[in-house]
């Protein structure tokens, strides 16, 4: 009989944020597949777990799968962990889990910490419906396109962001979503410098520009969904641009629309391009 693959959530900061069951599973399995064995070794040491680790990360996952699946088929129970939080959530593991399912190996989730859920549960924005977006593209042109696609989304949006890109991403969000859009800023969750705040995108830009410490560490951004009011504004902008584009170039139409409505030229330009491409 084949063994089981346990997908085990580990802490996102505070080493004690791990369940009793996760510790029991990590102690009892034959092997733990980990994203970075050095990082996970510290967690195992903290909880007196001596199970051997083997590396399974985005660069070797494809090659490693056959070996790991064979071990499971030979009857060895295995745990999959990542550096922090829940494996597969902006972390490696998908290919291994899919291969296990394809080989009829039982996959057992051992739930626990996840930065997206911890942020959503504490920033004070609607949590009944949300859309997890992971990391935005690092190139600005692609990031703006992605944000444009999301600007009318009424569900709460959750993003992960790297500290060195936080300021430029938040500025792009303010350009596309509007500077008054509410944002939950969840930084260093469960760690010493934990910061959980809700404000507008404009205020967040001011905060992280004036205090560079706020650009450090691990960050989740939770963005309030678009409101009906925003939809109306969008409709008005579309009407104006559609009329202007009948006589003017995209550049001239978006400049004039920006002058008349007070919205950012970049936003008007992106929308004018979209409307032009529709025809
Ligand atoms: N698998 C993880 C999870 O379940 O949340 C996410 C891993 S992803 C590679 C790392 C990103 O998650 C960070 O860049 C940050 O956006 C977010 N993150 C992880 N730990 C965090 C923490 N303690 N506080 C805030 N954000 C965190």
């Amino acid at each position: 009989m084949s063994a089981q693959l346990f997908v085990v959530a580990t802490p996102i900061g505070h080493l004690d944020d791990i369940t009793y069951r996760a510790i029991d599973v990590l102690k009892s399995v034959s092997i733990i597949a980990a994203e970075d064995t050095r990082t996970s070794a510290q967690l195992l040491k903290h909880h007196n777990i001596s199970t051997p680790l083997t590396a399974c990360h985005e660069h070797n996952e494809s090659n490693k799968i056959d070996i790991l699946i064979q071990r499971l088929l030979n009857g060895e129970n295995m745990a999959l962990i990542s550096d922090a939080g829940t494996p597969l959530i902006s972390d490696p593991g998908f290919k291994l889990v899919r291969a296990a399912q394809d080989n009829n190996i039982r996959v057992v989730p051992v739930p626990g910490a996840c930065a997206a859920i911890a942020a959503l549960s504490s920033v004070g924005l609607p949590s009944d419906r949300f859309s997890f977006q992971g990391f935005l593209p690092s190139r600005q042109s692609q990031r703006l396109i992605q944000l444009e696609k999301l600007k009318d989304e009424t569900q709460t949006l959750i993003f992960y962001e790297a500290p060195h890109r936080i300021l430029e991403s938040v500025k792009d969000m303010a350009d596309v979503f509007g500077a008054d859009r509410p944002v939950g800023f969840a930084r260093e969750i469960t760690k010493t410098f934990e910061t959980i705040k809700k404000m507008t995108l404009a205020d967040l830009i001011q905060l992280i520009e004036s205090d560079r410490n706020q650009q450090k560490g691990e960050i989740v951004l939770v963005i309030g969904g678009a409101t009906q009011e925003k939809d109306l504004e969008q409709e008005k902008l579309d009407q104006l641009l559609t009329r202007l584009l009948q006589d003017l170039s995209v550049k001239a139409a978006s400049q004039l629309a920006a002058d008349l409505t007070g919205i950012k030229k970049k936003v008007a330009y992106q929308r004018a391009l979209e409307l032009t491409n529709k025809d």
Side-chain angles (χ1 to χ4, degrees), residues 1 10 13 17 31 41 73 83 90 98 105 112-113 132 140 148 155 179 186 189 222 230 238 271 279:
M1 212 183 94
T10 57
D17 284 333
I31 185 119
L73 291 171
D83 284 355
S90 292
R98 182 177 55 183
I105 293 162
F132 174 64
Q140 193 190 26
E148 280 292 329
Q155 299 183 44
I189 304 168
V222 184
K230 271 276 165 293
D238 283 2
R271 188 60 190 151
D279 298 333

Side-chain angles (χ1 to χ4, degrees), residues 11-216:
I12 56 169
H14 198 301
L15 287 180
D16 289 344
D17 284 333
I18 187 162
T19 66
Y20 293 128
R21 180 170 169 240
I23 293 173
D24 283 348
V25 166
L26 292 176
K27 280 184 174 166
S28 70
V29 291
S30 306
I31 185 119
I32 300 172
E35 185 181 2
D36 181 334
T37 51
R38 279 167 310 178
T39 305
S40 296
Q42 291 169 24
L43 174 76
L44 299 198
K45 191 168 168 226
H46 183 80
H47 292 287
N48 295 315
I49 300 166
S50 53
T51 310
L53 287 159
T54 185
C56 181
H57 44 70
E58 60 173 327
H59 306 295
N60 78 348
E61 196 179 354
S62 301
N63 300 330
K64 199 78 184 265
I65 281 173
D66 289 348
I67 303 166
L68 296 178
I69 292 293
Q70 198 49 57
R71 291 185 71 158
L72 282 155
L73 291 171
N74 289 345
E76 285 183 274
N77 281 331
M78 186 179 298
L80 169 68
I81 60 176
S82 62
D83 284 355
T86 303
L88 281 81
I89 306 301
S90 292
D91 264 343
F94 167 64
K95 289 176 189 157
L96 179 61
V97 168
R98 182 177 55 183
Q101 290 288 6
D102 290 347
N103 281 277
N104 293 320
I105 293 162
R106 187 167 164 216
V107 180
V108 182
V110 182
C114 174
I117 300 301
L120 182 67
S121 68
S122 53
V123 295
L125 284 167
S127 54
D128 49 346
R129 290 188 314 133
F130 61 91
S131 170
F132 174 64
Q133 296 293 324
F135 289 95
L136 280 164
S138 52
R139 282 178 59 187
Q140 193 190 26
S141 55
Q142 290 174 358
R143 190 162 62 227
L144 285 169
I145 290 168
Q146 184 64 18
L147 291 172
E148 280 292 329
K149 284 188 199 155
L150 294 168
K151 70 171 182 284
D152 296 328
E153 176 56 67
T154 53
Q155 299 183 44
T156 297
L157 299 168
I158 305 176
F159 296 92
Y160 285 164
E161 193 47 284
H164 62 277
R165 258 197 306 273
I166 188 69
L167 186 56
E168 44 182 311
S169 281
V170 175
K171 283 184 172 174
D172 285 346
M173 287 177 178
D175 280 345
V176 178
F177 297 153
D180 56 350
R181 186 74 82 91
V183 53
F185 180 65
R187 190 176 75 89
E188 293 288 88
I189 304 168
T190 75
K191 302 190 219 177
T192 311
F193 297 106
E194 181 180 83
T195 310
I196 309 279
K197 284 178 188 289
K198 179 167 82 83
M199 61 197 104
T200 63
L201 284 167
D203 289 342
L204 180 57
I205 292 170
Q206 206 184 15
L207 173 79
I208 56 186
E209 271 182 339
S210 63
D211 178 1
R212 289 188 67 84
N213 284 329
Q214 300 299 330
Q215 295 180 37
K216 292 180 185 160

